[in-house]
């Protein structure tokens, strides 16, 4: 075989090697977490947008999960935080659950639905402490450490800060 005959084979092999090298380029130890929660107000269609973190979604599926077909029930604010693994934690006042959502291609897919209240949350808030997502019931000063599998630790009282 001559070089002329081998050139297309060489070119194909070089292209395949370059393509393989690009597919193996990985940046590891990425932390997706948001250090503080986002408090978002739905528009008239139920859509919330967090410009700071670049996410937009509709809250109506969450309302349907929490309130069923009760058209009069709706949320005024949705609370959202993201952990280091990239899962979104979503709740609102009067919700009985925290929804752990996995981002996908143009979707949020339910990973876990964590029951945190029998009667509905009166004043929830999220916080991030030592890389852990905390749900704080501000009316009772209780906090729950959450992960994508559920409540990680027993209920704790949040230390009151002196002003």
């Amino acid at each position: 075989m001559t070089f002329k005959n081998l050139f297309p084979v060489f070119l194909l092999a070089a292209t395949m090697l370059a393509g393989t090298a690009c597919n193996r380029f990985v940046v590891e130890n990425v932390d997706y977490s948001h250090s503080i929660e986002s408090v978002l107000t739905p528009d008239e269609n139920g859509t919330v947008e967090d410009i700071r973190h670049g996410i937009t979604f509709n809250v109506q599926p969450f309302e349907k999960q929490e309130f069923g077909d009760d058209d009069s029930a709706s949320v005024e604010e949705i609370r959202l935080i993201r952990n280091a693994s990239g899962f979104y934690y979503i709740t609102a006042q009067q919700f009985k659950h925290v929804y752990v959502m996995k981002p996908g291609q143009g979707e949020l897919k339910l990973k876990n639905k964590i029951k945190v209240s029998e009667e509905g949350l009166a004043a929830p808030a999220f916080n991030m402490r030592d890389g852990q997502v905390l749900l704080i019931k501000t009316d009772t000063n209780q906090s729950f450490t959450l992960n994508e599998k559920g409540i990680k630790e027993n209920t704790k009282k949040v230390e009151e800060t002196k002003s």
Side-chain angles (χ1 to χ4, degrees):
M1 282 196 167
T2 66
F3 178 73
K4 247 184 189 177
N5 293 343
L6 288 176
F7 183 73
V9 174
F10 172 74
L11 186 59
L12 179 63
T15 304
M16 288 175 57
L17 282 173
T20 303
C22 290
N23 289 337
R24 292 184 181 210
F25 179 73
V26 176
V27 177
E28 295 181 351
N29 300 318
V30 175
D31 183 347
Y32 291 100
S33 63
H34 301 167
S35 56
I36 57 173
E37 73 175 348
S38 295
V39 181
L40 309 170
T41 303
D43 67 13
E44 63 277 355
N45 299 317
T47 301
V48 293
E49 181 177 16
D50 185 351
I51 295 170
R52 179 178 54 180
H53 296 110
I55 185 169
T56 302
F57 62 94
N58 195 288
V59 300
Q60 292 172 346
F62 296 98
E63 292 173 339
K64 187 161 183 72
Q65 284 283 313
E66 286 293 318
F67 309 126
D69 291 326
D70 183 1
D71 290 334
S72 65
S74 64
V75 297
E76 291 182 24
E77 294 178 332
I78 201 90
R79 295 181 174 277
L80 167 81
I81 198 163
R82 193 172 190 192
N83 74 358
S85 300
F87 291 100
Y88 288 98
Y89 294 72
I90 299 170
T91 199
Q93 188 170 341
Q94 300 308 315
F95 276 20
K96 295 179 182 178
H97 301 90
V98 170
Y99 294 85
V100 181
M101 307 299 289
K102 181 178 181 177
Q105 189 73 27
E107 67 182 6
L108 290 174
K109 185 175 182 179
L110 181 66
K111 173 72 175 173
N112 197 0
K113 183 175 171 181
I114 306 167
K115 188 160 193 172
V116 291
S117 174
E118 291 295 328
E119 63 282 343
L121 295 166
F126 284 122
N127 197 357
M128 186 73 68
R129 184 168 296 149
D130 298 324
Q132 302 292 312
V133 173
L134 296 180
L135 171 68
I136 302 167
K137 292 182 173 182
T138 59
D139 58 327
T140 62
N141 286 334
Q142 290 178 301
S143 73
F144 302 88
T145 302
L146 307 175
N147 64 24
E148 54 271 13
K149 296 177 184 171
I151 297 173
K152 189 172 176 189
E153 298 173 0
N154 292 334
T155 303
K156 294 182 186 178
K157 287 282 187 180
V158 177
E159 292 180 27
E160 299 208 18
T161 57
K162 295 181 181 179
S163 300

